[in-house]
Amino acid sequence: MLSDGLARGFWCECWAEDLTAPGGPTVTTSFGAYSATQADGWLPTALRAITAELNPVAPKETWDWLYESRIDTRRALLRSEPCTVSVTYASTRITWTVHPVLFLPLTDGQEAPELPACTHDLKPHATD
């Protein structure tokens, strides 16, 4: 059971890695999706955009995923399971990850808590 204010969703990240350089992958973009449909829509959009920049003739693995394996990803997201899709072109690996999460509500600045009474006793110090 979810507490008031918690919302189910997905945390989506895109990681890029130069396979010829030391270090590891770095996050290039991330966002929160509030539904499996929204997360599922992000994956092919990002995949098409990035692979088009890597090579006008997109790698076969990209198009195979888009047209054949995407349904498996969609089903996993509907079951709130994490998903990962990776594409390697030349020396660059790009990985998209989607993980189910619970989003915590942000506080509303209009409803700031009352400060303790002792805070009114504090006086600013004079500066030289």
Side-chain angles (χ1 to χ4, degrees):
M1 182 171 159
L2 292 175
S3 299
D4 286 344
L6 296 180
R8 290 187 190 277
F10 297 88
W11 187 248
C12 307
E13 293 179 334
C14 179
W15 295 77
E17 181 178 13
D18 182 347
L19 300 175
T20 62
T26 57
V27 174
T28 59
T29 188
S30 60
F31 86 101
Y34 287 93
S35 69
T37 302
Q38 190 179 24
D40 180 54
W42 171 73
L43 281 167
T45 301
L47 193 61
R48 281 186 190 108
I50 291 175
T51 56
E53 290 299 316
L54 291 176
N55 182 1
V57 181
K60 183 181 180 329
E61 62 187 296
T62 303
W63 299 112
D64 287 349
W65 179 83
L66 281 171
Y67 294 107
E68 296 172 13
S69 303
R70 184 173 175 201
I71 192 66
D72 296 331
T73 301
R74 184 175 297 170
R75 286 180 182 138
L77 291 172
L78 290 170
R79 291 188 304 265
S80 291
E81 296 173 355
C83 298
T84 301
V85 176
S86 289
V87 172
T88 302
Y89 178 73
S91 64
T92 303
R93 178 182 300 135
I94 301 171
T95 303
W96 291 268
T97 61
V98 180
H99 300 277
V101 295
L102 291 176
F103 291 110
L104 301 173
L106 297 176
T107 61
D108 182 358
Q110 306 259 339
E111 299 176 13
E114 184 66 31
L115 294 174
C118 64
T119 59
H120 300 292
D121 296 336
L122 297 173
K123 304 292 183 224
H125 293 290
T127 59
D128 293 336

